[in-house]
PDB file of all heavy atoms in Angstrom:
ATOM      1  N   VAL O1477      44.248  19.835  39.187  1.00  0.00           N
ATOM      2  CA  VAL O1477      45.451  20.069  39.835  1.00  0.00           C
ATOM      3  C   VAL O1477      45.423  19.271  41.111  1.00  0.00           C
ATOM      4  O   VAL O1477      44.546  19.085  41.910  1.00  0.00           O
ATOM      5  CB  VAL O1477      45.560  21.623  40.277  1.00  0.00           C
ATOM      6  CG1 VAL O1477      46.867  21.794  41.039  1.00  0.00           C
ATOM      7  CG2 VAL O1477      45.471  22.478  38.967  1.00  0.00           C
ATOM      8  N   SER O1478      46.617  18.706  41.451  1.00  0.00           N
ATOM      9  CA  SER O1478      46.866  17.948  42.776  1.00  0.00           C
ATOM     10  C   SER O1478      48.202  18.255  43.245  1.00  0.00           C
ATOM     11  O   SER O1478      49.057  18.683  42.493  1.00  0.00           O
ATOM     12  CB  SER O1478      46.683  16.471  42.498  1.00  0.00           C
ATOM     13  OG  SER O1478      47.602  15.961  41.522  1.00  0.00           O
ATOM     14  N   GLY O1479      48.387  17.984  44.551  1.00  0.00           N
ATOM     15  CA  GLY O1479      49.697  18.263  45.124  1.00  0.00           C
ATOM     16  C   GLY O1479      49.988  19.558  45.630  1.00  0.00           C
ATOM     17  O   GLY O1479      51.094  20.017  46.070  1.00  0.00           O
ATOM     18  N   LEU O1480      49.094  20.552  45.419  1.00  0.00           N
ATOM     19  CA  LEU O1480      49.224  21.882  46.088  1.00  0.00           C
ATOM     20  C   LEU O1480      47.797  22.465  46.436  1.00  0.00           C
ATOM     21  O   LEU O1480      46.828  21.990  46.066  1.00  0.00           O
ATOM     22  CB  LEU O1480      49.942  22.841  44.994  1.00  0.00           C
ATOM     23  CG  LEU O1480      49.391  23.040  43.583  1.00  0.00           C
ATOM     24  CD1 LEU O1480      48.187  23.914  43.616  1.00  0.00           C
ATOM     25  CD2 LEU O1480      50.517  23.702  42.689  1.00  0.00           C
ATOM     26  N   MET O1481      47.859  23.553  47.237  1.00  0.00           N
ATOM     27  CA  MET O1481      46.671  24.136  47.581  1.00  0.00           C
ATOM     28  C   MET O1481      46.074  25.020  46.426  1.00  0.00           C
ATOM     29  O   MET O1481      46.511  26.174  46.270  1.00  0.00           O
ATOM     30  CB  MET O1481      46.981  25.062  48.887  1.00  0.00           C
ATOM     31  CG  MET O1481      47.444  24.248  50.101  1.00  0.00           C
ATOM     32  SD  MET O1481      46.188  23.052  50.713  1.00  0.00           S
ATOM     33  CE  MET O1481      45.038  24.329  51.428  1.00  0.00           C
ATOM     34  N   PHE O1482      45.235  24.455  45.758  1.00  0.00           N
ATOM     35  CA  PHE O1482      44.687  25.024  44.543  1.00  0.00           C
ATOM     36  C   PHE O1482      44.207  26.421  44.694  1.00  0.00           C
ATOM     37  O   PHE O1482      44.455  27.323  43.998  1.00  0.00           O
ATOM     38  CB  PHE O1482      43.678  24.089  43.944  1.00  0.00           C
ATOM     39  CG  PHE O1482      43.039  24.571  42.601  1.00  0.00           C
ATOM     40  CD1 PHE O1482      43.823  24.461  41.547  1.00  0.00           C
ATOM     41  CD2 PHE O1482      41.766  25.077  42.688  1.00  0.00           C
ATOM     42  CE1 PHE O1482      43.231  24.966  40.256  1.00  0.00           C
ATOM     43  CE2 PHE O1482      41.162  25.494  41.472  1.00  0.00           C
ATOM     44  CZ  PHE O1482      41.955  25.412  40.231  1.00  0.00           C
ATOM     45  N   GLY O1483      43.461  26.646  45.814  1.00  0.00           N
ATOM     46  CA  GLY O1483      42.844  27.860  46.134  1.00  0.00           C
ATOM     47  C   GLY O1483      43.837  29.043  46.413  1.00  0.00           C
ATOM     48  O   GLY O1483      43.382  30.206  46.471  1.00  0.00           O
ATOM     49  N   TYR O1484      45.019  28.689  46.670  1.00  0.00           N
ATOM     50  CA  TYR O1484      46.063  29.697  46.964  1.00  0.00           C
ATOM     51  C   TYR O1484      46.804  30.205  45.709  1.00  0.00           C
ATOM     52  O   TYR O1484      47.527  31.151  45.741  1.00  0.00           O
ATOM     53  CB  TYR O1484      47.090  29.075  47.919  1.00  0.00           C
ATOM     54  CG  TYR O1484      46.617  28.816  49.443  1.00  0.00           C
ATOM     55  CD1 TYR O1484      45.400  29.028  49.769  1.00  0.00           C
ATOM     56  CD2 TYR O1484      47.532  28.311  50.347  1.00  0.00           C
ATOM     57  CE1 TYR O1484      44.917  28.900  51.036  1.00  0.00           C
ATOM     58  CE2 TYR O1484      47.101  28.106  51.616  1.00  0.00           C
ATOM     59  CZ  TYR O1484      45.833  28.385  51.952  1.00  0.00           C
ATOM     60  OH  TYR O1484      45.379  28.203  53.299  1.00  0.00           O
ATOM     61  N   TYR O1485      46.501  29.642  44.674  1.00  0.00           N
ATOM     62  CA  TYR O1485      47.210  29.951  43.354  1.00  0.00           C
ATOM     63  C   TYR O1485      46.209  30.569  42.431  1.00  0.00           C
ATOM     64  O   TYR O1485      45.098  30.112  42.140  1.00  0.00           O
ATOM     65  CB  TYR O1485      47.749  28.787  42.770  1.00  0.00           C
ATOM     66  CG  TYR O1485      48.974  28.216  43.432  1.00  0.00           C
ATOM     67  CD1 TYR O1485      48.852  27.386  44.547  1.00  0.00           C
ATOM     68  CD2 TYR O1485      50.308  28.674  43.068  1.00  0.00           C
ATOM     69  CE1 TYR O1485      49.912  26.999  45.272  1.00  0.00           C
ATOM     70  CE2 TYR O1485      51.459  28.218  43.847  1.00  0.00           C
ATOM     71  CZ  TYR O1485      51.286  27.331  44.845  1.00  0.00           C
ATOM     72  OH  TYR O1485      52.333  26.994  45.674  1.00  0.00           O
ATOM     73  N   ASP O1486      46.795  31.672  41.703  1.00  0.00           N
ATOM     74  CA  ASP O1486      46.173  32.176  40.489  1.00  0.00           C
ATOM     75  C   ASP O1486      46.509  31.157  39.384  1.00  0.00           C
ATOM     76  O   ASP O1486      47.528  30.417  39.497  1.00  0.00           O
ATOM     77  CB  ASP O1486      46.809  33.509  40.085  1.00  0.00           C
ATOM     78  CG  ASP O1486      46.587  34.457  41.143  1.00  0.00           C
ATOM     79  OD1 ASP O1486      45.398  34.529  41.684  1.00  0.00           O
ATOM     80  OD2 ASP O1486      47.474  35.370  41.429  1.00  0.00           O
ATOM     81  N   MET O1487      45.655  31.045  38.477  1.00  0.00           N
ATOM     82  CA  MET O1487      45.773  30.049  37.377  1.00  0.00           C
ATOM     83  C   MET O1487      45.853  30.704  36.055  1.00  0.00           C
ATOM     84  O   MET O1487      45.157  31.900  35.814  1.00  0.00           O
ATOM     85  CB  MET O1487      44.803  28.962  37.406  1.00  0.00           C
ATOM     86  CG  MET O1487      44.837  28.304  38.733  1.00  0.00           C
ATOM     87  SD  MET O1487      46.193  27.066  38.878  1.00  0.00           S
ATOM     88  CE  MET O1487      45.874  25.967  37.590  1.00  0.00           C
ATOM     89  N   ALA O1488      46.361  30.053  34.986  1.00  0.00           N
ATOM     90  CA  ALA O1488      46.303  30.537  33.631  1.00  0.00           C
ATOM     91  C   ALA O1488      46.342  29.511  32.680  1.00  0.00           C
ATOM     92  O   ALA O1488      46.706  28.303  32.905  1.00  0.00           O
ATOM     93  CB  ALA O1488      47.508  31.525  33.412  1.00  0.00           C
ATOM     94  N   TRP O1489      46.017  29.853  31.430  1.00  0.00           N
ATOM     95  CA  TRP O1489      46.011  29.046  30.258  1.00  0.00           C
ATOM     96  C   TRP O1489      47.072  29.738  29.262  1.00  0.00           C
ATOM     97  O   TRP O1489      46.946  30.918  29.025  1.00  0.00           O
ATOM     98  CB  TRP O1489      44.795  28.913  29.454  1.00  0.00           C
ATOM     99  CG  TRP O1489      43.791  27.991  30.334  1.00  0.00           C
ATOM    100  CD1 TRP O1489      42.735  28.398  31.118  1.00  0.00           C
ATOM    101  CD2 TRP O1489      43.701  26.521  30.294  1.00  0.00           C
ATOM    102  NE1 TRP O1489      42.080  27.281  31.570  1.00  0.00           N
ATOM    103  CE2 TRP O1489      42.653  26.199  30.955  1.00  0.00           C
ATOM    104  CE3 TRP O1489      44.492  25.624  29.601  1.00  0.00           C
ATOM    105  CZ2 TRP O1489      42.353  24.861  31.145  1.00  0.00           C
ATOM    106  CZ3 TRP O1489      44.196  24.250  29.763  1.00  0.00           C
ATOM    107  CH2 TRP O1489      43.157  23.939  30.618  1.00  0.00           C
ATOM    108  N   PHE O1490      47.941  28.861  28.612  1.00  0.00           N
ATOM    109  CA  PHE O1490      48.831  29.411  27.635  1.00  0.00           C
ATOM    110  C   PHE O1490      48.731  28.552  26.355  1.00  0.00           C
ATOM    111  O   PHE O1490      48.337  27.347  26.492  1.00  0.00           O
ATOM    112  CB  PHE O1490      50.226  29.391  28.085  1.00  0.00           C
ATOM    113  CG  PHE O1490      50.599  30.544  29.017  1.00  0.00           C
ATOM    114  CD1 PHE O1490      50.215  30.374  30.401  1.00  0.00           C
ATOM    115  CD2 PHE O1490      51.268  31.657  28.682  1.00  0.00           C
ATOM    116  CE1 PHE O1490      50.456  31.367  31.238  1.00  0.00           C
ATOM    117  CE2 PHE O1490      51.522  32.609  29.545  1.00  0.00           C
ATOM    118  CZ  PHE O1490      51.224  32.557  30.905  1.00  0.00           C
ATOM    119  N   ARG O1491      49.008  29.003  25.246  1.00  0.00           N
ATOM    120  CA  ARG O1491      49.021  28.161  23.970  1.00  0.00           C
ATOM    121  C   ARG O1491      50.252  28.279  23.356  1.00  0.00           C
ATOM    122  O   ARG O1491      50.941  29.295  23.178  1.00  0.00           O
ATOM    123  CB  ARG O1491      47.892  28.671  23.033  1.00  0.00           C
ATOM    124  CG  ARG O1491      47.739  28.028  21.783  1.00  0.00           C
ATOM    125  CD  ARG O1491      46.721  28.626  20.880  1.00  0.00           C
ATOM    126  NE  ARG O1491      47.021  29.920  20.430  1.00  0.00           N
ATOM    127  CZ  ARG O1491      46.316  31.003  20.454  1.00  0.00           C
ATOM    128  NH1 ARG O1491      45.240  30.976  21.314  1.00  0.00           N
ATOM    129  NH2 ARG O1491      46.702  32.214  20.093  1.00  0.00           N
ATOM    130  N   GLN O1492      50.768  27.122  22.733  1.00  0.00           N
ATOM    131  CA  GLN O1492      51.990  27.053  21.875  1.00  0.00           C
ATOM    132  C   GLN O1492      51.692  26.368  20.591  1.00  0.00           C
ATOM    133  O   GLN O1492      51.211  25.229  20.642  1.00  0.00           O
ATOM    134  CB  GLN O1492      53.178  26.444  22.624  1.00  0.00           C
ATOM    135  CG  GLN O1492      54.359  26.607  21.864  1.00  0.00           C
ATOM    136  CD  GLN O1492      55.517  26.235  22.729  1.00  0.00           C
ATOM    137  OE1 GLN O1492      55.385  25.572  23.689  1.00  0.00           O
ATOM    138  NE2 GLN O1492      56.694  26.654  22.276  1.00  0.00           N
ATOM    139  N   ALA O1493      51.859  27.133  19.427  1.00  0.00           N
ATOM    140  CA  ALA O1493      51.644  26.505  18.138  1.00  0.00           C
ATOM    141  C   ALA O1493      53.059  26.021  17.688  1.00  0.00           C
ATOM    142  O   ALA O1493      53.985  26.559  18.144  1.00  0.00           O
ATOM    143  CB  ALA O1493      51.017  27.615  17.192  1.00  0.00           C
ATOM    144  N   PRO O1494      53.099  25.120  16.689  1.00  0.00           N
ATOM    145  CA  PRO O1494      54.284  24.588  16.272  1.00  0.00           C
ATOM    146  C   PRO O1494      55.191  25.759  15.693  1.00  0.00           C
ATOM    147  O   PRO O1494      54.849  26.566  14.983  1.00  0.00           O
ATOM    148  CB  PRO O1494      53.870  23.623  15.007  1.00  0.00           C
ATOM    149  CG  PRO O1494      52.500  23.201  15.460  1.00  0.00           C
ATOM    150  CD  PRO O1494      51.904  24.359  16.174  1.00  0.00           C
ATOM    151  N   GLY O1495      56.543  25.716  16.292  1.00  0.00           N
ATOM    152  CA  GLY O1495      57.402  26.607  15.712  1.00  0.00           C
ATOM    153  C   GLY O1495      57.269  28.004  16.350  1.00  0.00           C
ATOM    154  O   GLY O1495      58.057  28.986  15.852  1.00  0.00           O
ATOM    155  N   GLU O1496      56.345  28.126  17.161  1.00  0.00           N
ATOM    156  CA  GLU O1496      56.139  29.546  17.827  1.00  0.00           C
ATOM    157  C   GLU O1496      56.293  29.479  19.304  1.00  0.00           C
ATOM    158  O   GLU O1496      56.451  28.523  19.912  1.00  0.00           O
ATOM    159  CB  GLU O1496      54.604  29.940  17.546  1.00  0.00           C
ATOM    160  CG  GLU O1496      54.393  30.180  15.964  1.00  0.00           C
ATOM    161  CD  GLU O1496      53.057  30.691  15.653  1.00  0.00           C
ATOM    162  OE1 GLU O1496      52.272  31.123  16.714  1.00  0.00           O
ATOM    163  OE2 GLU O1496      52.616  30.733  14.541  1.00  0.00           O
ATOM    164  N   GLU O1497      56.481  30.691  19.845  1.00  0.00           N
ATOM    165  CA  GLU O1497      56.581  30.841  21.304  1.00  0.00           C
ATOM    166  C   GLU O1497      55.244  30.603  22.014  1.00  0.00           C
ATOM    167  O   GLU O1497      54.154  30.882  21.423  1.00  0.00           O
ATOM    168  CB  GLU O1497      57.160  32.142  21.725  1.00  0.00           C
ATOM    169  CG  GLU O1497      58.582  32.455  21.253  1.00  0.00           C
ATOM    170  CD  GLU O1497      59.094  33.826  21.620  1.00  0.00           C
ATOM    171  OE1 GLU O1497      58.327  34.489  22.215  1.00  0.00           O
ATOM    172  OE2 GLU O1497      60.275  34.038  21.419  1.00  0.00           O
ATOM    173  N   ARG O1498      55.321  30.200  23.238  1.00  0.00           N
ATOM    174  CA  ARG O1498      54.184  30.101  23.981  1.00  0.00           C
ATOM    175  C   ARG O1498      53.564  31.427  24.329  1.00  0.00           C
ATOM    176  O   ARG O1498      54.275  32.360  24.555  1.00  0.00           O
ATOM    177  CB  ARG O1498      54.452  29.497  25.390  1.00  0.00           C
ATOM    178  CG  ARG O1498      53.402  29.287  26.420  1.00  0.00           C
ATOM    179  CD  ARG O1498      53.988  28.707  27.646  1.00  0.00           C
ATOM    180  NE  ARG O1498      54.450  27.277  27.433  1.00  0.00           N
ATOM    181  CZ  ARG O1498      55.164  26.608  28.419  1.00  0.00           C
ATOM    182  NH1 ARG O1498      55.547  27.254  29.512  1.00  0.00           N
ATOM    183  NH2 ARG O1498      55.430  25.373  28.220  1.00  0.00           N
ATOM    184  N   VAL O1499      52.222  31.594  24.107  1.00  0.00           N
ATOM    185  CA  VAL O1499      51.456  32.904  24.324  1.00  0.00           C
ATOM    186  C   VAL O1499      50.400  32.698  25.404  1.00  0.00           C
ATOM    187  O   VAL O1499      49.788  31.671  25.634  1.00  0.00           O
ATOM    188  CB  VAL O1499      50.894  33.373  23.112  1.00  0.00           C
ATOM    189  CG1 VAL O1499      51.904  33.586  21.898  1.00  0.00           C
ATOM    190  CG2 VAL O1499      49.774  32.345  22.418  1.00  0.00           C
ATOM    191  N   PHE O1500      50.183  33.847  26.073  1.00  0.00           N
ATOM    192  CA  PHE O1500      49.126  33.922  27.033  1.00  0.00           C
ATOM    193  C   PHE O1500      47.766  33.863  26.489  1.00  0.00           C
ATOM    194  O   PHE O1500      47.626  34.530  25.368  1.00  0.00           O
ATOM    195  CB  PHE O1500      49.398  35.140  27.947  1.00  0.00           C
ATOM    196  CG  PHE O1500      48.222  35.488  28.743  1.00  0.00           C
ATOM    197  CD1 PHE O1500      48.126  34.876  29.960  1.00  0.00           C
ATOM    198  CD2 PHE O1500      47.291  36.459  28.441  1.00  0.00           C
ATOM    199  CE1 PHE O1500      47.090  35.075  30.849  1.00  0.00           C
ATOM    200  CE2 PHE O1500      46.242  36.716  29.398  1.00  0.00           C
ATOM    201  CZ  PHE O1500      46.148  36.161  30.621  1.00  0.00           C
ATOM    202  N   VAL O1501      46.944  33.176  27.066  1.00  0.00           N
ATOM    203  CA  VAL O1501      45.554  33.049  26.656  1.00  0.00           C
ATOM    204  C   VAL O1501      44.529  33.604  27.638  1.00  0.00           C
ATOM    205  O   VAL O1501      43.796  34.629  27.387  1.00  0.00           O
ATOM    206  CB  VAL O1501      45.099  31.626  26.358  1.00  0.00           C
ATOM    207  CG1 VAL O1501      43.618  31.481  26.019  1.00  0.00           C
ATOM    208  CG2 VAL O1501      46.016  30.937  25.297  1.00  0.00           C
ATOM    209  N   ALA O1502      44.614  33.263  28.927  1.00  0.00           N
ATOM    210  CA  ALA O1502      43.709  33.690  29.978  1.00  0.00           C
ATOM    211  C   ALA O1502      44.152  33.390  31.264  1.00  0.00           C
ATOM    212  O   ALA O1502      45.034  32.472  31.473  1.00  0.00           O
ATOM    213  CB  ALA O1502      42.180  33.069  29.722  1.00  0.00           C
ATOM    214  N   ALA O1503      43.812  34.195  32.245  1.00  0.00           N
ATOM    215  CA  ALA O1503      44.230  34.027  33.637  1.00  0.00           C
ATOM    216  C   ALA O1503      42.955  34.195  34.533  1.00  0.00           C
ATOM    217  O   ALA O1503      42.005  34.960  34.212  1.00  0.00           O
ATOM    218  CB  ALA O1503      45.359  34.883  34.056  1.00  0.00           C
ATOM    219  N   ILE O1504      43.007  33.599  35.810  1.00  0.00           N
ATOM    220  CA  ILE O1504      41.895  33.783  36.755  1.00  0.00           C
ATOM    221  C   ILE O1504      42.588  33.828  38.116  1.00  0.00           C
ATOM    222  O   ILE O1504      43.477  33.129  38.374  1.00  0.00           O
ATOM    223  CB  ILE O1504      40.876  32.536  36.586  1.00  0.00           C
ATOM    224  CG1 ILE O1504      39.683  32.999  37.459  1.00  0.00           C
ATOM    225  CG2 ILE O1504      41.574  31.183  36.780  1.00  0.00           C
ATOM    226  CD1 ILE O1504      38.522  31.864  37.089  1.00  0.00           C
ATOM    227  N   SER O1505      41.965  34.636  38.859  1.00  0.00           N
ATOM    228  CA  SER O1505      42.647  34.894  40.270  1.00  0.00           C
ATOM    229  C   SER O1505      42.244  33.683  41.178  1.00  0.00           C
ATOM    230  O   SER O1505      41.433  32.818  40.918  1.00  0.00           O
ATOM    231  CB  SER O1505      42.112  36.198  40.803  1.00  0.00           C
ATOM    232  OG  SER O1505      40.635  36.341  40.907  1.00  0.00           O
TER     233      SER O1505
END
Side-chain angles (χ1 to χ4, degrees):
V1477 178
S1478 60
L1480 56 76
M1481 295 295 289
F1482 182 73
Y1484 287 2
Y1485 287 84
D1486 300 318
M1487 298 292 297
W1489 289 98
F1490 287 79
R1491 178 181 71 238
Q1492 187 166 22
E1496 297 184 10
E1497 293 186 354
R1498 181 181 287 168
V1499 297
F1500 170 77
V1501 175
I1504 187 166
S1505 61

